[in-house]
Amino acid sequence: MGFLEKLLQAIGRFGIPSACIVCERYQCDTICTNCLESLANDALFNYVCCSQCGIALQASEIAKQKCDSCTLNPPYFDASYCLDRYEGALQNALHQLKYQKRLAYAHGLANAWNKILSEQLKMIDAQLLFPVPLSIQKLGARGFNQSWEIARKIECGQGLLKTPFVLKRHHHEFAQAGEKFSTRHLAIQNMFYLDPQYRQLLDGQSVVIFDDVMTTGATLNEIARLLKDNGASQVMNWVLLRTTRAPHV
């Protein structure tokens, strides 16, 4: 964290009130103590989740620690760590960031991640972190990549290099929200590519992909395929919000 960011945090803490990203009451921190405690007690990571895709397991799946979908059709990624469910307390804050362009919410979401999940993830052996990219057209329209705005503020182990420049995305008009897995999977094929000048960074490395929302996992699976085809030894997902059972066919 740079000097200017620390200074702005100090000013906000002692001089300018902030609003909690969950309850929206004015106080000192970006997420208040009560909302943070409630989130920590009921966050998705407290539940028994699939070791590979991070979805909450049904009773019949708990013994094998994987959901039926990952057992039958193993994805390219190796593990997923998700803070909370999409329908939970942080959904509105994420929508404020993505659709209302309220960048201050990125700091609050990262703060929630840091207070609840960062410590246990610091022990994970990984060398690189990439956000899920937006196409140049989408990035121009929105003005920022919400996944990167959160990811660059989360606390990580000392050896983890964060960069938004390696992974790129072609533009496509297809809107994925609400589509079934098979439709999303076909639409996302070959949608991502690597900046050639960074290709050598991947050789034998363990890579973290950070995303704001994981639904069917089709996007993250396609990214993991690309990274492993280009030398990555392991790919894991760090996800802010995970949907509940996604539509499959």
Side-chain angles (χ1 to χ4, degrees):
M1 184 183 295
F3 171 78
L4 181 58
E5 189 171 355
K6 289 180 179 178
L7 177 61
L8 290 173
Q9 279 192 4
I11 292 172
R13 186 174 297 114
F14 298 111
I16 304 173
S18 180
C20 172
I21 61 170
V22 177
C23 69
E24 300 183 341
R25 293 177 182 172
Y26 283 95
Q27 35 82 63
C28 291
D29 295 316
T30 53
I31 180 168
C32 71
T33 302
N34 289 339
C35 289
L36 186 63
E37 183 177 350
S38 178
L39 178 64
N41 289 336
D42 195 42
L44 181 61
F45 80 93
N46 288 318
Y47 293 81
V48 181
C49 296
C50 176
S51 61
Q52 201 154 11
C53 77
I55 203 162
L57 293 177
Q58 296 177 342
S60 61
E61 300 168 328
I62 291 176
K64 59 180 181 289
Q65 297 186 319
K66 280 190 180 184
C67 67
D68 292 338
S69 179
C70 287
T71 301
L72 295 172
N73 299 292
Y76 287 96
F77 50 76
D78 300 284
S80 298
Y81 300 89
C82 310
L83 176 59
D84 198 18
R85 59 185 67 79
Y86 180 71
E87 300 80 3
L90 297 178
Q91 184 190 66
N92 180 63
L94 181 59
H95 285 186
Q96 291 293 324
L97 170 63
K98 289 177 71 170
Y99 306 122
Q100 301 302 319
K101 300 184 179 182
R102 299 179 68 177
L103 279 169
Y105 277 80
H107 181 74
L109 291 166
N111 189 26
W113 179 282
N114 291 336
K115 293 288 180 63
I116 297 172
L117 204 52
S118 270
E119 197 60 36
Q120 70 181 75
L121 295 182
K122 284 181 181 179
M123 305 303 295
I124 290 176
D125 183 22
Q127 293 78 47
L128 301 166
L129 184 150
F130 308 146
V132 171
L134 300 180
S135 67
I136 293 175
Q137 292 87 339
K138 187 67 173 286
L139 186 61
R142 180 169 290 167
F144 59 91
N145 178 345
Q146 72 280 352
S147 292
W148 175 240
E149 291 302 319
I150 300 168
R152 69 191 186 93
K153 296 177 176 68
I154 64 172
E155 297 170 359
C156 303
Q158 294 264 333
L160 189 64
L161 172 66
K162 301 177 189 177
T163 173
F165 303 117
V166 177
L167 196 58
K168 305 291 185 180
R169 181 173 188 155
H170 297 294
H171 185 59
H172 197 292
E173 295 294 340
F174 174 75
Q176 294 191 62
E179 294 294 337
K180 294 180 180 180
F181 175 81
S182 57
T183 306
R184 293 169 71 110
H185 177 74
L186 290 173
I188 208 72
Q189 282 185 340
N190 301 313
M191 190 60 62
F192 301 95
Y193 63 100
L194 301 171
D195 186 322
Q197 67 178 312
Y198 298 112
R199 160 66 186 80
Q200 62 183 3
L201 279 177
L202 294 176
D203 290 336
Q205 300 299 291
S206 180
V207 183
V208 171
I209 302 300
F210 189 92
D211 204 1
D212 60 329
V213 177
M214 182 178 181
T215 51
T216 65
T219 294
L220 291 165
N221 193 47
E222 177 64 12
I223 290 173
R225 181 196 66 77
L226 173 68
L227 296 179
K228 286 191 171 180
D229 283 351
N230 284 275
S233 62
Q234 184 181 41
V235 178
M236 68 190 78
N237 307 315
W238 290 4
V239 179
L240 183 72
L241 303 181
R242 178 71 161 100
T243 60
T244 50
R245 292 283 162 166
H248 289 268
V249 295

